[in-house]
Amino acid sequence: MTSFDPAGFYAFDLEEGAVRAGGDRVLVMSDTVVTALVSAAEEAGDLSALRVLGMELGARAKGRLPDVAAATPLDALGEAAAPVALFGWGRLRLERWGAALVLELENAPALGEDGFAEAALLGGLLSGMTGREAACVPARHEGARRFVVVSASIADTVYGWALDGFEVGAIVERLTRGAA
C-alpha cells in the first residue's frame, strides 16, 4: 500500500477559477467529455496526449520514490496507483506472470473497446516513472482486459499476438521463450 495521503491534494481557487493538484493547474472534466476527446484522438490515430498524461502521472509517482530502480514492483505500483486514482483513471493493479508484469486498470472510464487509450496512458505512466521507453499492450485473460508491460521496441509484435487471439498466458510464454 502507498503511504500517500490525499488530504489537501487538490486546491480550489474559486476567485481565480482554477484547480491545482500538487501545485500544478489541472482541469476537472466529466468522463463523458474525456471519452469524446479520446475517441476523436483515436479516430485521428494520435493518442500521444494520453501518453503525455501518463508520463505526468508517472513523474508524480517517481517523485515519491527515493530510488525507482531499487523499488520493488509492488512499491512502485503503490506510488503509481495513487495519482492514477486521484485523477480518476481507475484502480491500478499489478500481476506478476513469471518474469513478466501485467497491469489491470479497474473501474477506468470507458474509452473504447480495443484498449489503445488505456495502453497509451499506462505506457506513459511507466515511462515517466522509469525514464525508459515502456509500452503496455492490451491483451485478454479470462475475458478481462490486461496490459502486458513490454519494451516499446517489441510492442507491435506482442500486439500482433494479441490480435491473433493469444491471451496473456500465451503471450508471456512466447516472451519467455524469446519469440519477440
Side-chain angles (χ1 to χ4, degrees), residues 1-2 4 73-83:
M1 291 307 288
T2 179
F4 185 81
L74 286 176
D75 287 341
L77 172 76
E79 295 306 330

Side-chain angles (χ1 to χ4, degrees), residues 87-167:
F87 281 93
W89 288 98
R91 181 177 178 205
L92 185 62
R93 298 173 57 117
L94 170 77
E95 298 174 354
R96 291 192 78 147
W97 291 62
L101 297 178
V102 177
L103 299 176
E104 180 182 6
L105 196 55
E106 218 174 54
N107 198 28
L111 299 178
E113 292 297 316
D114 56 20
F116 287 141
E118 296 92 336
L121 178 81
L122 294 172
L125 173 78
L126 295 175
S127 296
M129 279 186 75
T130 64
R132 296 174 27 199
E133 281 300 308
C136 291
V137 176
R140 295 267 174 205
H141 174 67
E142 297 176 358
R145 184 177 302 130
R146 304 284 197 280
F147 299 88
V148 181
V149 179
V150 296
S151 165
S153 65
I154 64 167
D156 288 338
T157 300
V158 176
Y159 182 65
W161 298 340
L163 284 178
D164 288 341
F166 289 96
E167 289 201 355

